[in-house]
Amino acid sequence: MVKWDADGGRIATTMFEAAAFRRGVRIRCDCGHTAVLNPYRLWWHFHSKHLDDEIEATMRCFRCTKCRRRGRVSIDMIDGGWTETALPMPSESEWKRAVARFRC
Ligand SMILES: [Zn+2]
């Protein structure tokens, strides 16, 4: 479900919404390490594995590449700026199919 901020902007609550809104997913570990991940690749990672892509549910899945601890992160969205390339991209047809389901 789409949420709105005080300025009328859409707040992504799932990785699919982050991708649909073209928002970079910034993940911050308790150790201070920060990464901005590609929302399309993240959505596809969770979707293709039939995992819940709700932001709150995904937080326990991330492992910090610096301190190696899992699930000690906070997540927020930023405009673009993602650099991660390790996860595979969804095909264009998969993405279009997901967007079509979202609009229904
Ligand atoms: Zn860390």
Side-chain angles (χ1 to χ4, degrees):
M1 169 185 263
V2 177
K3 293 183 177 178
W4 304 89
D5 64 20
D7 298 326
R10 295 176 289 192
I11 300 172
T13 59
T14 66
M15 291 300 175
F16 174 80
E17 289 177 353
F21 304 158
R22 298 183 175 91
R23 305 285 287 173
V25 179
R26 182 169 53 196
I27 301 176
R28 293 181 181 171
C29 178
D30 284 353
C31 76
H33 185 234
T34 299
V36 180
L37 304 183
N38 181 314
Y40 301 99
R41 294 174 191 268
L42 282 171
W43 166 74
W44 181 240
H45 173 77
F46 287 99
H47 179 77
S48 64
K49 295 179 183 299
H50 306 286
L51 298 172
D52 188 353
D53 77 331
E54 207 166 310
I55 301 296
E56 291 290 323
T58 65
M59 291 171 72
R60 67 178 178 274
C61 300
F62 292 102
R63 180 186 299 274
C64 179
T65 57
K66 187 174 181 183
C67 72
R68 308 299 300 161
R69 288 185 296 193
R70 181 183 295 273
R72 301 180 60 140
V73 301
S74 61
I75 297 177
D76 65 344
M77 305 295 155
I78 64 171
D79 289 330
W82 53 79
T83 57
E84 176 279 327
T85 58
L87 296 171
M89 282 286 283
S91 69
E92 188 171 334
S93 61
E94 285 290 349
W95 178 246
K96 285 182 176 177
R97 223 179 347 256
V99 170
R101 283 193 304 266
F102 183 66
R103 289 183 176 152
C104 292

